[in-house]
Amino acid sequence: MLRKWPVAAILALILSWPCAASAQLSEPTMKYKVDYVNESRLFRNGKHITLLHINLEWPSILGYSRLPALQAFLSKTIFGAEAPTLRSGMEAYFKTLGKEIHVMPEEEGLEVEYRTMVVRELAWEKDRFVSLVVAKQRRMSDEVEADIRKNILLTYDIAKDKIMRTPDIIRRNYQAGRVYSEALIDRIWTYMPKQGIEVRAIDLPDECCLLQGKVGVAFNMKGNSDGDIIEHLVVVPYTAMDGILTNKAYNVRNANNKFTPPVSPQPEETVDDSLKVYLMADEMPQFQGGEKALAQFVSGQLNFPAYEQLIGVEGKTIVSFVIDRDGQVTEPSVISPVSPGIDREAVRVINAMPKWTPGMDNGKPVRVKVTMPLIFKLER
């Protein structure tokens, strides 16, 4: 379980870490950055209403790279068009949905559509790969029956800027058309939950990805439970995958990659003046009640993820976030990861913070970036 750190220990850690860089608007070169977006929006286009929920854990920098292949793939899959960054992809997609509104209209004849978009980290192997599940769902209102789902598993090879799908992970002789061969199905079946779920070979989607360490390969399975079609992940240990994985999968799992910062700084996105983020301001943002209150809040909120407890993962994750002009905590990103579950919990704590006192520059409130480390430590 999580050791509840004394307030003084957390306070010392927070105070010892710089909350801002020395330059006012320029950001240092980063090796790793995953952006977290979890929000709901409402759009109207004539009589058509779209209720959109997005929950994204979006890799934007890995190994000092802006990940052109991964950015293009994720944007195309989630937003329907390639884009170089998450922000540009989101902005272009929102324009296709019509005008954003903030209250659901109460009038007859409206057609309501519900859309859900998810990008979720499943595994992170330092300097080697990241694995993701990418999911979309479109559903019309109850009066119009239409349910379109799309789930994808992938592993991204950081060094080669390459997206790995099933043909890159599973040897060809263990694939049979759009489903797996009987030999592979038998191995998957060994690790399937046996209670309450009925699965047929025809229901097996052609999706899998690599997991970290010695955990194994995750397969996206479709089954029938009490009359409902459900999708869930089944993990087959690597020890049961001997002879099934490709050389590509073996190589990316065992790679010894070394990344060096680029000679020239990473290009920054062009943003409106109203969205500029300061790294240093005349008056930096302050948590209500000061550093001691901040340490108490963090200590009281942190929970250790169950999966990471099970596999014995611990460490320090570093999260950056922006304090908006009204003091709201926005735009959380993990810039030094431990594991998907720990990073996700750290972001949850950051998002749970109350409003801060905003930063000030030249007598005006400005958006300021804050960087904070959070420690997760198992009791021995």
Side-chain angles (χ1 to χ4, degrees), residues 17-29 278-281 284 368-371:
W17 191 265
C19 284
S22 58
Q24 191 175 49
L25 285 173
S26 60
E27 191 165 31
T29 298
Y278 287 69
L279 301 181
M280 182 66 74
M284 295 298 291
V368 181
K369 179 167 288 188
V370 176
T371 302

Side-chain angles (χ1 to χ4, degrees), residues 7 22 51 107 115-116 147 155 202 224 232 265 284 318 323 334-335 349:
V7 169
S22 58
L51 180 58
E107 59 185 80
R115 298 189 183 189
T116 302
D147 194 341
T155 294
I202 195 172
N224 188 303
H232 54 279
M284 295 298 291
I318 301 176
I323 302 301
V334 171
I335 60 174
V349 172

Side-chain angles (χ1 to χ4, degrees), residues 29-33 61-65 126-127 259 266:
T29 298
M30 287 186 292
K31 183 178 181 180
Y32 179 99
K33 183 169 180 276
I61 299 174
L62 297 176
Y64 301 108
S65 168
K126 183 179 180 181
D127 292 339
F259 298 101
Q266 294 161 333

